[in-house]
Amino acid sequence: MIASERFERAAVLGVAVAEETRRLLRLHLRPAEVGGDGRVVVDVPYPDAAVVAALLDVAAECFGERGGSVEETRQAALETLLQLAELDADAQLGQMAPDGDNVRLSPYKS
């Protein structure tokens, strides 16, 4: 496989990961709450929380994201993924966090 094919496949995979993350967040957006810092808190129940955590771990590794904790690293990866997914201004999640920097995950087990 030549380098251009590898980059093309990696790009397709990256977009797929970003879109799946966005789909899962939209699925669990209601009821969303806005924290004191203006960020939207999305509670993601288990087992979707495990999928989102795995997607964020892969994205963090791919993007080279680092943070003081696992959660900070995942948050940085989430912000990058949401930017990659290019949230629509019309989208419900896009209206709440148009720049991708104002969404915070709150995974929980139900």
Side-chain angles (χ1 to χ4, degrees):
M1 181 181 328
I2 60 175
S4 63
E5 288 175 337
R6 288 191 358 229
F7 285 123
E8 183 179 346
R9 288 181 180 187
V12 169
L13 177 62
V15 170
V17 167
E19 288 299 322
E20 181 62 8
T21 303
R22 183 169 71 166
R23 185 191 71 78
L24 287 169
L25 291 177
R26 281 185 177 163
L27 181 66
H28 300 292
L29 189 59
R30 296 241 186 239
E33 63 183 68
V34 178
D37 60 358
R39 289 186 173 199
V40 177
V41 178
V42 179
D43 288 323
V44 179
Y46 183 84
D48 288 347
V51 174
V52 171
L55 290 170
L56 294 178
D57 290 345
V58 167
E61 184 69 28
C62 178
F63 299 144
E65 299 288 358
R66 298 287 178 257
S69 68
V70 172
E71 292 308 316
E72 288 176 6
T73 301
R74 287 178 178 163
Q75 182 64 38
L78 173 64
E79 292 168 6
T80 303
L81 273 176
L82 292 177
Q83 291 168 0
L84 179 62
E86 294 180 346
L87 295 173
D88 306 329
D90 308 305
Q92 187 178 33
L93 190 57
Q95 290 174 359
M96 301 181 92
D99 59 3
D101 293 334
N102 291 325
V103 177
R104 186 179 74 234
L105 285 181
S106 176
Y108 69 91
K109 291 186 178 182
S110 58

